[in-house]
Amino acid sequence: MKKTRLLIALLVMLVAASGYAQDSYRQAVKDYLTVMDSYEKSRSIIPTVSKLFVGDDQVDVDQLTKRYLDERFEDDITDSFMNVLMERNMSEAEIKEVTSMFSMTEGKNYLVHQQEWMTDFLTNLMMSMMSMYGDPDEDEVIDDDKAPEMVLQAVTPNADIDAAYAARFNEVLMESDFGKNVMAGMMERMNEVSDSTYEQQEYKRFQKEWMTTNVPTILLNSAYGNLTLEDLDFAAKCYANEAYRKLESVDNAGEKDKSQMVNFVVKYTDWMKEQGAKVSDDPTVAMEFMNTLLGLDMDNINNEPKKPWYDFDLGE
């Protein structure tokens, strides 16, 4: 009898310890997401997604969305990221180590400056890509199936950038996993576009050549004035940290992990439907939404979807 009671007591202790460990790990994930401002960034997506729902006399979409944000939003984000970290054996201590780094003043400054850098990079990239194409004559008839005249217009480094800054930037960022992931991601997206005709193949070849040559320069030009030398020193410290590199590998892993945001949006839409909200079956709204969410090339889709947008498998 005493042995039975002892066994039960041990089992209770093990269950309690397991629950505490799970709660502790979850809190570490929440602290990390808070420091990285992930909750606020994800929250900003919801108003756009909510426009896909249509209300009626029984359902107020805005009120339902507010309820979701108050009751479920943070848990859904935490669960999604936590599951990925656990699958990739990211320990609680490693999560806390990275959180601690970005909780410091230099880490907070880096996150702000990094966002400003990426905003300028995307703007400068789009502006620079427009210079790839030659201007056709006014009387020229443009064949949509033919690639436009293309001229390799090189992007020149900002003359104000001194050699020491450029060297440090290239050493810390372009020669790190960050730079490799940026280029690999762009090339991967290019390969997803169909190229059945010779003109399309030439178009893709040209774009890859242009990006390989010019994206590093655009990144450098965009960084100057946003990332300080102190920021570069902090970035170097991050990439020298094993826990940070491991977490970065999670963020830049395969499509399953990249779909975290998609999974979160699906959870929101499922919850809204459970509350009685009706989704729009307007194909224009659906296409614009998917283009924004997934970065799809909608110009290559000639037909309207054969089923409502909400029946598409967004996870794929």
Side-chain angles (χ1 to χ4, degrees):
M1 186 69 176
K2 290 183 178 180
K3 291 183 178 179
T4 302
R5 290 178 177 175
L6 178 59
L7 179 58
I8 293 174
L10 289 173
L11 288 174
V12 170
M13 291 174 61
L14 286 173
V15 170
S18 175
Y20 173 78
Q22 188 82 351
D23 289 344
S24 179
Y25 190 95
R26 182 181 180 80
Q27 186 59 51
V29 172
K30 292 178 68 173
D31 291 343
Y32 169 80
L33 292 175
T34 299
V35 166
M36 302 304 285
D37 203 27
S38 298
Y39 290 123
E40 289 307 311
K41 291 175 182 176
S42 300
R43 186 184 294 270
S44 66
I45 297 174
I46 292 296
T48 299
V49 184
S50 69
K51 294 177 182 178
L52 292 171
F53 292 93
V54 291
D56 54 30
D57 294 338
Q58 304 298 320
V59 175
D60 186 319
V61 173
D62 291 338
Q63 286 296 325
L64 274 183
T65 298
K66 184 178 185 305
R67 269 189 58 200
Y68 175 81
L69 291 172
D70 292 340
E71 299 173 11
R72 293 284 300 275
F73 165 76
E74 187 170 304
D75 285 340
D76 283 349
I77 293 292
T78 304
D79 290 342
S80 180
F81 194 63
M82 178 177 168
N83 290 336
V84 174
L85 294 182
M86 295 182 73
E87 286 176 4
R88 296 195 171 269
N89 299 316
M90 191 78 186
S91 71
E92 179 180 337
E94 289 171 325
I95 298 172
K96 289 182 175 180
E97 183 177 355
V98 177
T99 301
S100 177
M101 292 173 61
F102 283 92
S103 296
M104 298 182 294
T105 300
E106 57 181 345
K108 293 178 180 179
N109 289 339
Y110 178 75
L111 288 176
V112 173
H113 298 163
Q114 183 189 51
Q115 183 62 48
E116 294 170 347
W117 169 37
M118 285 292 97
T119 299
D120 282 355
F121 166 65
L122 292 175
T123 301
N124 293 335
L125 177 64
M126 295 301 297
M127 296 288 289
S128 298
M129 289 184 70
M130 293 175 64
S131 67
M132 290 195 302
Y133 312 109
D135 295 327
D137 296 333
E138 291 184 2
D139 297 331
E140 181 181 353
V141 177
I142 300 177
D143 184 352
D144 290 337
D145 294 328
K146 182 179 179 182
E149 179 185 351
M150 295 177 286
V151 179
L152 187 59
Q153 192 85 320
V155 177
T156 58
N158 185 337
D160 293 332
I161 302 177
D162 61 79
Y165 182 93
R168 184 60 171 160
F169 175 85
N170 290 326
E171 174 191 7
V172 172
L173 292 173
M174 294 313 299
E175 296 177 10
S176 69
D177 289 341
F178 169 84
K180 297 174 184 176
N181 288 330
V182 168
M183 298 306 300
M186 288 187 170
M187 295 305 166
E188 180 180 349
R189 180 57 59 88
M190 287 291 299
N191 290 332
E192 293 173 354
V193 179
S194 61
D195 52 356
S196 56
T197 68
Y198 171 77
E199 288 78 12
Q200 289 173 337
Q201 293 172 6
E202 283 298 290
Y203 177 77
K204 179 184 290 187
R205 180 194 62 78
F206 175 82
Q207 279 200 323
K208 285 185 174 181
E209 180 182 353
W210 187 91
M211 287 183 176
T212 301
T213 303
N214 293 287
V215 165
T217 303
I218 299 173
L219 283 167
L220 172 61
N221 288 348
S222 304
Y224 187 71
N226 287 319
L227 293 182
T228 65
L229 286 173
E230 289 76 16
D231 291 326
L232 295 180
D233 289 341
F234 178 79
K237 183 168 65 174
C238 288
Y239 283 106
N241 182 279
E242 184 177 352
Y244 178 80
R245 291 199 308 272
K246 189 173 180 180
L247 195 54
E248 276 285 289
S249 70
V250 171
D251 288 339
N252 294 288
E255 288 301 322
K256 178 181 178 182
D257 296 341
K258 290 180 182 179
S259 66
Q260 291 175 62
M261 188 59 66
V262 174
N263 291 337
F264 150 62
V265 171
V266 169
K267 287 184 177 182
Y268 164 68
T269 56
D270 286 346
W271 185 87
M272 290 288 284
K273 286 187 287 184
E274 290 171 1
Q275 311 309 311
K278 297 179 181 179
V279 292
S280 171
D281 56 4
D282 183 346
T284 302
V285 174
M287 293 305 233
E288 290 178 353
F289 164 69
M290 294 186 73
N291 187 25
T292 300
L293 180 63
L294 304 178
L296 298 178
D297 183 4
M298 305 312 293
D299 292 335
N300 289 330
I301 300 179
N302 299 317
N303 301 317
E304 293 183 356
K306 297 181 180 180
K307 54 185 177 179
W309 71 269
Y310 46 85
D311 284 340
F312 280 69
D313 186 353
L314 298 183
E316 295 181 358

